[in-house]
Amino acid sequence: MSQFVRFTIDGTECMASRGQYLVDAARENGVFIPTLCNYPGVKPKGSCRICTVKVNGKLMTACTTPVAEGMNIENESADINELRKSIIELLFVEGNHFCPACEKSGNCELQALAYRFRMMVPRFPFQFPNRAVDASHPRIIKDHNRCILCKRCIRVITDESGRSIFAYRKRSASVEVVVDPKLGKQLTEDLAQKAMDVCPVGSILVKEKGFHVPIGERKYDKVPIGSDIENMQSTKI
Amino acid sequence: MKTGAQRILEKYGKDKTRLMDILIDVQNEFGFIPREITVQIADELGMSEVDVDQTISFYHFFSQKPTGKYHIYLNNSAVANMMGRNDVAAAFMKELGIKFGEVTPDGLVGLFETACIGMNDQEPAAIINNQIFTRLTPFRAKEIVRDIREGKSVNDMFVQDWGDGENRSDLIKSVVSNNIRKIGPVLERTFTAGQAIDKLIKMTPEQVIEEVKKSNMRGRGGAGFPTGLKWEFGRNAKGEKKYIFCNADEGEPGTFKDRVILTERPRLLFEGMVIAGYAIGATEGILYIRHEYKYLQAHLESILQMARDANYLGKNIQGKKGFNFDIRIQFGAGAYVCGEESALIESAEGKRGEPRDRPPFPVEKGYLDMPTVVNNVETLCAVVKVVLNGGEWYKSLGTTESTGTKLLSISGDCKFPGVYEVVWGFSINDILDMVGAHSEDVQAVQVGGPSGAIIGRNEFNRILGYEDLATGGSLIIISKHRDILNDIVLNFMDFFIDESCGSCSTCRITPTLLRNKLLKILNARGVKQDIEDIVEWGKILKASRCGLGQTAANPILSSLKNFRHLYEEKIQKNKEYDCGFDLSLAVKESCQVTGRVPNI
Ligand code: SF4
Ligand code: SF4
Ligand code: FES
């Protein structure tokens, strides 16, 4: 079996290593597939659904699906883009996102995707849920209002013995991501910063620190999310 | 308390993957799972507290607050409501002086709601301290509360006679009825334990798979995947150990056939698991049963023991060298999504019942990352008959696409609710005749539970089978006097909202938005745009990970397709669009506080 596979994205011939996940395979070919819950280095958990593509006509999440020989992938079609836009809007109405007051503004992937997909105002009614801000831990603030329940923190941040510091609680619309009462207190400065960086939105903030990089100079302030991938010379093998 | 928990932890060898069993035992012993025990479990198993907590808080029957010495879980399914559940609920509340979700101040009784408990043929029904109470009336509710106050044990609270068949046996003693109304080649009575195993050991595993393939049998859980093919994948998959799972989670509202098989034909089912194990080379079988059927535990355990004593389970089965297979029972704790095979595996590993991403499929990487074949109860029973009578025989029953027989769970507005074994190819009209429902009195039939379709009279000539109306086997008959949108659709939407595992953005958020649209229409505030929105927004759910999310809009979408007039009658005429914002509602609270009257 060859180590490489051929496939197409929106009709363009692509090539990647066998077994790579579609998002990575696409990236290597200079194609951006939006992601939110995906994070490099940890097992994907297709929970945000934003990376949904059509593989041979079937809806699949690109972060969890390994590329295979001959796949026809639909990424930039009207249907798929509309679906992604509606998912972004769903996430906006589900929580309470007041971007101008958020430390993460400009570095926030949800906000950046909303710009990229030209969301004006969500088509769905705002739910305005009653959610708490948990500031009981010495180093971090967990703002439930902004959590999009992507599980990145759960999968990335653990203590030395591999125990979870963040975890889901409850299910359905009442799901929330909580911090372990004991381990949350022992969080080191580095891990706290890492947790904040891992979070795609402003739900985990490091205490007593803010606006280090001024608004206007942040990651997505000048270029849309994904443009780094698209501007990259495609590394065709 | 600590020593009690310690004993339970040791019983399961402090094995993290047995967390479900540990929690079930703790819940049973203390009536809830106290925080200090959560911490103790976490410490002993080398987990963090939130990690244990995420499993606990996922399941409906685990509670972190006391649930009372007696805990009453009253079913709130659509059919329960049709059969008068609301009056029973009111009687319980009145007699106990509490609302649902509360415990009496003296800690004696807790009153809770629960989704369909698999008793649709004898509703209203409730689970009280793991015992099932069926055919409740307000009078009966009063009696139960009186008995509780007198300190009677649940087993002394029955005034009805025991149900039919094995329900009367010493190890069950339940008022549940099987209501088997029609017996076919799978349910027939002549089967005796070991019959098929004797034949099995003279065949090679490949021959067994060949016969099953020849039978054209498709999985009975609803998805309809060819059973023989699944087994072949399982056989060819590589792994140190392989597992057979029997999915007896049966959570689809309206379905109860598995309950009847577990009660009446457990030997048949276990034999099916042995056959599957032999075919794919598995040494362990796990029967995953929904918590609602805990009352069958002693009965099932004793039959497993008999099978072990007779060497139908265990080592070198019936003298066949190297043929080792045993079965253990795993209970769930109240989560519909665990009926999805990968969620079921997660749950059996002691985790939240969240479906996995696929690929990999469970046949390659399932329970404890080993190759795992998950089959439905009915499928496993049917393969026994295939081994006994041959694949050709099975194929001769039913239609080309849908071979063999199907067990139907029929409930709702009909004379004879119960379980019917029919060969595929029956029309809805045949079924209505069979169960004593006059088709002119019937307004609709819900086929395949909430995730299925609601069909009207113009479709009653459709045929049950994979080629036309595929179904996991539940049929709910809805008569003319019912209000489909209020009684059925709204109930089903609430069900999906509660049962989502909450992991996919789509499935976690969209059903609530759709339900709110439906409520708006039911409250006569709907406009034409709302109907269009429902259709558009419903499509988003197709991007969800599992079948639950993908079908969560079906109650609304299928009723909108087949009963559009019910929606159109209720929306405001001459109003195409509104901004979706209700000013008077938005200022209601502040007006109340300030005592002002809105000037709208
Ligand atoms: S806190 Fe951030 S990283 Fe964690 S689940 Fe919420 S949004 Fe995702
Ligand atoms: S579709 Fe719903 S139930 Fe299924 S995995 Fe996603 S959130 Fe969970
Ligand atoms: S990035 Fe793939 S589902 Fe979230």
Side-chain angles (χ1 to χ4, degrees):
Chain A
M1 245 199 292
S2 152
Q3 197 195 333
F4 297 108
V5 291
R6 287 167 185 285
F7 58 101
T8 64
I9 301 181
D10 298 323
T12 310
E13 289 270 353
C14 296
M15 219 182 181
S17 316
R18 180 181 301 279
Q20 257 185 321
Y21 289 118
L22 293 182
V23 262
D24 304 322
R27 182 187 301 115
E28 288 197 359
N29 288 275
V31 175
F32 172 65
I33 300 179
T35 58
L36 271 174
C37 66
N38 203 38
Y39 198 79
V42 289
K43 199 173 163 214
K45 174 86 191 176
S47 57
C48 73
R49 320 306 290 171
I50 199 82
C51 67
T52 301
V53 291
K54 269 193 193 161
V55 177
N56 303 334
K58 225 178 135 230
L59 293 176
M60 307 267 256
T61 40
C63 67
T64 63
T65 309
V67 65
E69 182 66 37
M71 275 183 169
N72 281 317
I73 296 156
E74 183 182 319
N75 178 46
E76 278 279 345
S77 65
D79 277 5
I80 292 289
N81 280 332
E82 194 51 31
L83 172 69
R84 289 176 182 161
K85 192 174 175 196
S86 34
I87 291 174
I88 296 164
E89 293 176 16
L90 282 176
L91 291 170
F92 267 98
V93 304
E94 183 193 29
N96 298 310
H97 298 271
F98 304 110
C99 298
C102 179
E103 152 68 32
K104 201 79 177 230
S105 183
N107 282 329
C108 169
E109 295 178 31
L110 179 67
Q111 184 191 47
L113 284 172
Y115 280 127
R116 184 174 168 122
F117 283 87
R118 297 173 196 284
M119 176 184 107
M120 298 304 283
V121 87
R123 73 199 71 182
F124 312 110
F126 282 102
Q127 302 296 291
F128 298 127
N130 201 347
R131 292 193 187 165
V133 177
D134 174 10
S136 66
H137 313 279
R139 290 194 197 277
I140 55 162
I141 296 171
K142 174 77 180 72
D143 187 343
H144 295 305
N145 291 290
R146 300 173 185 152
C147 182
I148 56 166
L149 305 160
C150 70
K151 290 192 163 182
R152 276 194 194 180
C153 55
I154 301 179
R155 288 174 291 147
V156 179
I157 310 292
T158 53
D159 76 349
E160 323 75 64
S161 46
R163 290 180 299 176
S164 332
I165 299 173
F166 296 88
Y168 257 24
R169 239 186 84 72
K170 300 189 263 191
R171 68 180 186 204
S172 67
S174 5
V175 148
E176 55 186 6
V177 167
V178 293
V179 188
D180 189 82
K182 204 160 81 200
L183 302 183
K185 299 237 153 36
Q186 298 161 5
L187 211 60
T188 61
E189 209 180 317
D190 286 353
L191 216 49
Q193 184 60 48
K194 190 170 170 198
M196 176 166 168
D197 295 343
V198 159
C199 181
V201 291
S203 180
I204 302 175
L205 300 179
V206 172
K207 276 188 177 171
E208 295 172 16
K209 198 177 157 186
F211 298 92
H212 246 51
V213 180
I215 301 275
E217 287 170 28
R218 297 181 167 200
K219 216 168 162 191
Y220 308 117
D221 280 344
K222 298 202 176 102
V223 286
I225 191 168
S227 51
D228 49 338
I229 295 173
E230 287 158 330
N231 297 337
M232 195 173 65
Q233 261 305 350
S234 82
T235 54
K236 286 235 171 89
I237 315 138
Chain B
M1 196 187 261
K2 281 223 135 151
T3 54
Q6 199 60 31
R7 196 188 58 244
I8 293 170
L9 278 158
E10 265 146 34
K11 178 171 162 200
Y12 297 103
K14 296 194 185 167
D15 180 354
K16 221 155 106 155
T17 68
R18 300 298 296 275
L19 186 60
M20 282 298 277
D21 299 287
I22 294 170
L23 294 174
I24 290 170
D25 282 10
V26 169
Q27 170 81 36
N28 272 335
E29 190 155 328
F30 303 104
F32 73 116
I33 304 173
R35 167 122 197 259
E36 52 178 301
I37 293 190
T38 306
V39 174
Q40 188 185 353
I41 293 173
D43 288 345
E44 292 283 339
L45 301 183
M47 301 162 83
S48 59
E49 183 187 336
V50 281
D51 209 358
V52 179
D53 203 47
Q54 66 171 335
T55 298
I56 299 176
S57 61
F58 185 82
Y59 295 95
H60 184 66
F61 289 109
F62 291 148
S63 173
Q64 296 176 301
K65 291 186 302 222
T67 53
K69 190 164 170 234
Y70 297 83
H71 28 88
I72 303 173
Y73 285 87
L74 183 64
N75 182 6
N76 64 11
S77 74
V79 171
N81 287 338
M82 285 160 70
M83 300 301 150
R85 178 247 177 220
N86 285 346
D87 294 339
V88 176
F92 272 125
M93 287 194 283
K94 180 158 171 269
E95 291 305 307
L96 293 167
I98 53 172
K99 294 207 238 357
F100 279 83
E102 294 178 356
V103 179
T104 52
D106 56 1
L108 186 64
V109 198
L111 188 60
F112 306 94
E113 309 223 29
T114 199
C116 187
I117 61 172
M119 299 290 157
N120 255 8
D121 53 342
Q122 44 210 302
E123 288 294 341
I127 310 175
I128 308 178
N129 295 7
N130 291 343
Q131 279 288 4
I132 312 280
F133 288 72
T134 67
R135 303 183 187 87
L136 295 172
T137 56
F139 181 80
R140 188 73 188 108
K142 263 189 235 169
E143 279 184 333
I144 288 172
V145 173
R146 188 197 59 209
D147 286 352
I148 287 177
R149 294 231 162 89
E150 283 172 8
K152 283 194 187 166
S153 78
V154 265
N155 294 324
D156 294 331
M157 283 170 12
F158 293 116
V159 289
Q160 288 160 270
D161 196 5
W162 307 123
D164 52 1
E166 288 291 326
N167 287 304
R168 319 180 73 89
S169 70
D170 282 344
L171 288 174
I172 304 185
K173 280 239 166 31
S174 159
V175 296
V176 173
S177 306
N178 293 319
N179 292 325
I180 303 177
R181 310 273 186 190
K182 185 171 165 58
I183 284 191
V186 170
L187 279 189
E188 53 87 26
R189 270 188 222 86
T190 56
F191 174 79
T192 54
Q195 235 181 332
I197 294 181
D198 295 338
K199 205 168 160 200
L200 180 75
I201 53 175
K202 297 189 193 92
M203 297 165 81
T204 65
E206 287 76 14
Q207 283 172 327
V208 177
I209 293 176
E210 214 31 62
E211 276 311 313
V212 176
K213 278 172 110 177
K214 231 188 263 169
S215 75
N216 270 352
M217 185 191 299
R218 295 166 71 159
R220 292 297 187 249
F225 194 81
T227 307
L229 203 57
K230 202 181 212 177
W231 286 13
E232 194 170 70
F233 290 155
R235 171 123 207 113
N236 295 337
K238 292 196 177 25
E240 283 154 47
K241 199 172 169 186
K242 295 181 187 177
Y243 294 91
I244 291 292
F245 265 68
C246 171
N247 182 350
D249 195 52
E250 192 166 58
E252 189 80 52
T255 315
F256 45 85
K257 64 187 172 74
D258 294 349
R259 175 200 90 212
V260 171
I261 293 177
L262 291 169
T263 310
E264 289 302 316
R265 304 286 186 271
R267 291 177 181 82
L268 184 67
L269 171 62
F270 292 144
E271 203 141 327
M273 289 178 75
V274 174
I275 293 170
Y278 182 75
I280 74 154
T283 47
E284 195 175 336
I286 296 176
L287 170 59
Y288 186 103
I289 310 181
R290 67 190 309 217
H291 194 270
E292 287 81 347
Y293 298 163
K294 198 118 202 312
Y295 73 104
L296 296 171
Q297 186 174 9
H299 167 65
L300 294 168
E301 295 283 9
S302 101
I303 286 170
L304 280 180
Q305 196 48 51
M306 281 186 236
R308 282 183 202 116
D309 294 344
N311 191 227
Y312 290 129
L313 286 175
K315 294 232 147 48
N316 302 322
I317 292 172
Q318 297 306 301
K320 179 128 183 151
K321 265 225 145 23
F323 179 18
N324 306 332
F325 190 78
D326 210 334
I327 296 174
R328 88 169 164 88
I329 297 176
Q330 173 71 62
F331 277 96
Y336 164 68
V337 68
C338 289
E340 197 280 340
E341 60 177 12
S342 64
L344 182 124
I345 291 171
E346 286 280 301
S347 177
E349 289 180 357
K351 299 189 243 163
R352 297 166 64 82
E354 283 179 20
R356 295 178 178 174
D357 298 299
R358 281 164 303 182
F361 288 87
V363 281
E364 308 151 47
K365 224 173 166 203
Y367 182 62
L368 306 176
D369 283 346
M370 293 297 149
T372 304
V373 166
V374 185
N375 283 137
N376 178 269
V377 172
E378 196 184 332
T379 313
L380 287 166
C381 290
V383 295
V384 177
K385 300 300 159 100
V386 170
V387 166
L388 283 174
N389 306 330
E392 286 297 337
W393 162 82
Y394 192 81
K395 204 171 133 180
S396 71
L397 306 166
T399 68
T400 344
E401 282 277 302
S402 319
T403 59
T405 69
K406 180 80 198 96
L407 297 190
L408 301 175
S409 311
I410 301 181
S411 64
D413 297 311
C414 64
K415 260 203 211 100
F416 307 111
V419 171
Y420 293 76
E421 183 181 356
V422 300
V423 290
W424 284 110
F426 260 55
S427 75
I428 298 289
N429 273 322
D430 298 337
I431 287 165
L432 293 177
D433 283 349
M434 180 174 74
V435 302
H438 294 291
S439 74
E440 58 276 16
D441 294 337
V442 178
Q443 179 181 192
V445 177
Q446 180 78 35
V447 182
S451 62
I454 184 164
I455 61 170
R457 292 176 56 172
N458 54 339
E459 293 187 271
F460 286 177
N461 54 356
R462 286 181 66 182
I463 305 288
L464 287 188
Y466 294 102
E467 51 272 74
D468 187 10
L469 262 182
T471 170
S474 126
L475 293 168
I476 297 173
I477 297 164
I478 301 157
S479 94
K480 264 187 186 153
H481 67 283
R482 306 286 178 190
D483 176 347
I484 289 183
L485 300 192
N486 264 302
D487 298 348
I488 312 289
V489 180
L490 189 58
N491 181 287
F492 286 174
M493 286 312 293
D494 284 335
F495 173 76
F496 281 129
I497 291 169
D498 283 345
E499 297 298 334
S500 162
C501 83
S503 151
C504 302
S505 58
T506 44
C507 166
R508 185 176 68 233
I509 316 169
T510 323
T512 308
L513 301 175
L514 291 173
R515 175 189 183 272
N516 292 347
K517 282 275 184 195
L518 174 64
L519 274 183
K520 185 180 171 199
I521 293 171
L522 288 175
N523 292 334
R525 291 193 295 111
V527 292
K528 197 158 159 253
Q529 178 70 32
D530 291 318
I531 295 185
E532 285 158 23
D533 283 348
I534 287 176
V535 176
E536 282 307 308
W537 299 2
K539 292 181 191 158
I540 301 169
L541 280 159
K542 289 281 172 273
S544 308
R545 185 189 300 138
C546 81
L548 191 161
Q550 287 158 12
T551 57
N554 282 14
I556 294 197
L557 294 182
S558 112
S559 57
L560 189 56
K561 181 164 163 264
N562 295 327
F563 295 88
R564 196 177 178 100
H565 61 279
L566 297 178
Y567 289 83
E568 279 171 348
E569 277 161 14
K570 289 199 170 65
I571 58 173
Q572 302 175 71
K573 304 278 163 318
N574 319 322
K575 199 171 175 189
E576 294 274 310
Y577 176 83
D578 70 1
C579 67
F581 180 73
D582 186 343
L583 184 61
S584 51
L585 200 72
V587 297
K588 196 169 151 203
E589 208 181 313
S590 69
C591 285
Q592 266 168 3
V593 175
T594 55
R596 281 163 58 177
V597 183
N599 177 19
I600 299 167

